């Protein structure tokens, strides 16, 4: 950072796992973070899917600097080989971390960042830009909006707040906005908190990723006790083979078991699968919605579960000079390394401040948001990102440029925002009895995009 602004704090946007890790690393570098969290508590986005179990064990879900803050408080690290639920990630890690004095004194909750710019300079002005402090405009609720002056900005706000639309070509289906009351959150707790909204209903799950697979299996469990529940599944592709995985021959047994279970549910008629179903129109009726495909086929439903992925909120960055990949909206140098057409979570190399840099000096996007629209983010990768970025902001360029990530050859799936390659999943009783949650190496429970390929690869 420039000496003219070095006395100012560094803004961290988002108090999820990567945001709090960024704050911990900044503190270790002697820098002063101020953390803005839009929700009421740290990990607010994860609260939406606290009922979901992560893919990866605890040893990949905690950050080194964060652990070093926690240990003096008497905090005990959860069993390294156990797979935590989202709620456990909050209760046993993020909550205690946010309560440590160095973090708690710098954490502002119910503080939604609505814009970032340079103090007194819009995007078009270049003179003295690199040495001018940032202005972060924050909505603190109850009509209170304040500008905060900071030396640098680390955007770890994730992508949970903006889901991809249900329609084709990246656009909402005609009538999608009007049908919003019939569209659920992306990872509803269909057997618990949200049960009443799904029991006995016609439920249409849209998407062929991890969230869809999790929701479909949970809906099948709901249907065992609520037999009038009808489960419909629409995918744009010609088949659901990618979601099923390799069955008994799958290199990841847990993934194969769940994939086989999902296939059996479809073959038994418990789940009604509609392939090649690109949605063009959603018509809202008194009795529900009619979802029409591009080819004219229609499905009637009471509620739609959108499992179509997420995209970054770039509006708050409008006055900053960004360099983004035109395809995935990640930093330009990172984009080709994470493009889901060619890569999966197991094939993305470690990277740090150098690849995350933008023309806007001392501004970084990290965590899930740094991957833009690519569904291949790893929580462990985010921790390495922020270690490197904190070092760069402190002027330790050797440490910033020395990036490393110790993962098994197959990669490891965890989560920052409950989406993508990181999207967590439930385990079955059968898997737990076989000890998949306490294996020495990560137990992959769910549907990673792949190991040696991306979207275009074959399972």
């Amino acid at each position: 950072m420039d000496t003219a602004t070095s006395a100012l704090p560094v803004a961290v946007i988002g108090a999820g796992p990567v945001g709090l890790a960024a704050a911990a690393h900044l503190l270790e570098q002697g820098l002063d973070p101020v953390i803005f969290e839009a929700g009421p508590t740290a990990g607010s986005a994860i609260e939406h899917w606290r009922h979901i179990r992560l893919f990866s064990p605890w040893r990949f879900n905690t950050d080194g600097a964060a652990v070093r803050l926690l240990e003096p408080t008497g905090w005990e690290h959860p069993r390294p080989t156990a797979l935590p639920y989202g709620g456990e990630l909050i209760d046993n890690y993020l909550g205690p971390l946010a309560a440590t004095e160095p973090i708690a004194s710098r954490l502002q909750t119910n503080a939604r960042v609505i814009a970032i710019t340079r103090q007194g300079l819009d995007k078009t002005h270049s003179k003295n830009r690199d040495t001018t402090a940032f202005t972060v405009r924050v909505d603190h609720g109850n009509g209170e909006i304040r500008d905060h002056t900071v030396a640098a900005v680390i955007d770890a706000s994730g992508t949970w707040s903006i889901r991809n639309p249900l329609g084709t070509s990246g656009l909402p289906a005609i009538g999608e906005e009007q049908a919003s009351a019939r569209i659920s959150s992306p990872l509803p707790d269909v057997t618990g908190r949200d049960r009443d909204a799904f029991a006995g209903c016609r439920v249409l799950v849209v998407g062929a990723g991890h969230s869809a697979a999790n929701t479909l299996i949970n809906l099948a469990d709901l249907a065992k006790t609520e037999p009038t529940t009808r489960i419909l599944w629409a995918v744009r592709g010609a088949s659901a083979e990618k979601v099923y995985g390799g069955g008994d021959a799958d290199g990841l047994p847990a993934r194969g078991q769940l994939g086989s279970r999902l296939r059996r549910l479809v073959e038994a008629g418990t789940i009604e699968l509609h392939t090649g179903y690109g949605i063009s129109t959603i018509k809202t009726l008194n009795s529900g919605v009619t979802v029409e495909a591009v080819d004219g086929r229609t499905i009637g439903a009471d509620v739609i579960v959108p499992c179509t992925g997420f995209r970054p909120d770039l509006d708050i960055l409008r006055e900053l000079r960004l360099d983004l990949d035109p395809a995935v909206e990640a930093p330009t140098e990172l984009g080709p390394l994470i493009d889901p057409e060619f890569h999966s979570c197991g094939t993305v190399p470690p990277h740090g401040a150098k690849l995350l840099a933008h023309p806007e000096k001392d501004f970084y996007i990290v965590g899930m948001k740094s991957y833009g629209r690519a569904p291949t983010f790893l929580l462990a990768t985010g921790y390495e990102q922020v270690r490197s970025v904190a070092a760069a902001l402190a002027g330790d360029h050797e440490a910033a440029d020395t990036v490393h990530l110790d993962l098994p050859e197959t990669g490891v799936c965890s989560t920052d925002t409950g989406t993508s390659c990181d999207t967590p999943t439930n385990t079955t009783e059968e898997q737990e009895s076989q000890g998949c949650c306490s294996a020495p190496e990560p137990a992959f429970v769910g549907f990673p995009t792949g190991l040696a390929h991306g979207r275009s690869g074959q399972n």
Side-chain angles (χ1 to χ4, degrees), residues 188-330:
D189 186 1
V190 300
T191 60
R193 178 184 56 207
D194 305 315
R195 180 189 179 94
D196 290 346
F198 296 91
C201 295
R202 298 168 298 167
V203 184
L204 173 62
V205 177
V206 180
H210 320 117
S211 298
N214 292 322
T215 300
L216 288 162
I217 289 174
N218 288 339
L219 283 168
D221 290 337
L222 174 65
K224 291 177 182 178
T225 56
E226 299 287 348
T228 58
T229 304
R230 185 180 172 195
I231 310 168
L232 307 127
W233 180 20
V235 299
R236 293 177 187 170
S239 78
E241 290 299 318
K242 180 180 71 172
V243 190
Y244 296 150
D248 292 340
D250 200 302
L252 302 174
R255 180 178 67 177
Q257 291 165 5
L258 281 182
S260 296
R261 182 182 176 192
L262 185 58
R263 183 194 295 272
R264 289 194 300 270
L265 290 168
V266 171
E267 292 176 347
T270 304
I271 296 171
E272 182 181 311
L273 174 62
H274 298 261
T275 58
Y277 207 94
I279 297 175
S280 64
T281 305
I282 303 176
K283 297 178 181 178
T284 303
L285 310 171
N286 290 334
S287 58
V289 293
T290 298
V291 181
E292 183 174 343
V294 174
D295 60 11
R297 287 178 290 163
T298 61
I299 297 174
D302 298 307
V303 59
I304 303 172
V305 182
C307 300
T308 49
F310 297 84
R311 58 182 59 180
D313 177 7
L314 299 176
D315 286 347
I316 65 171
L317 311 180
R318 191 175 186 87
E319 291 305 319
L320 299 180
R321 296 181 176 183
L322 306 180
D323 189 7
L324 297 175
D325 179 86
V328 297
E329 296 178 339

Side-chain angles (χ1 to χ4, degrees), residues 350-352 379-389 402-405:
H351 51 275
L379 184 53
T381 299
Y383 293 153
E384 179 61 8
Q385 286 180 342
V386 296
R387 183 208 60 78
S388 173
V389 166
T402 306
V403 291
H404 52 82
L405 194 60

Side-chain angles (χ1 to χ4, degrees), residues 345-403:
C345 56
T347 64
V348 175
H351 51 275
K354 184 174 290 186
L355 264 66
L356 297 171
H358 290 276
E360 199 70 71
K361 184 176 180 291
D362 295 335
F363 170 78
Y364 297 91
I365 304 173
V366 300
M368 185 67 203
K369 189 172 182 177
S370 73
Y371 275 42
R373 299 192 188 193
T376 47
F377 175 73
L378 299 172
L379 184 53
T381 299
Y383 293 153
E384 179 61 8
Q385 286 180 342
V386 296
R387 183 208 60 78
S388 173
V389 166
L393 290 175
D396 188 348
H397 299 293
E398 181 178 355
D401 293 344
T402 306
V403 291

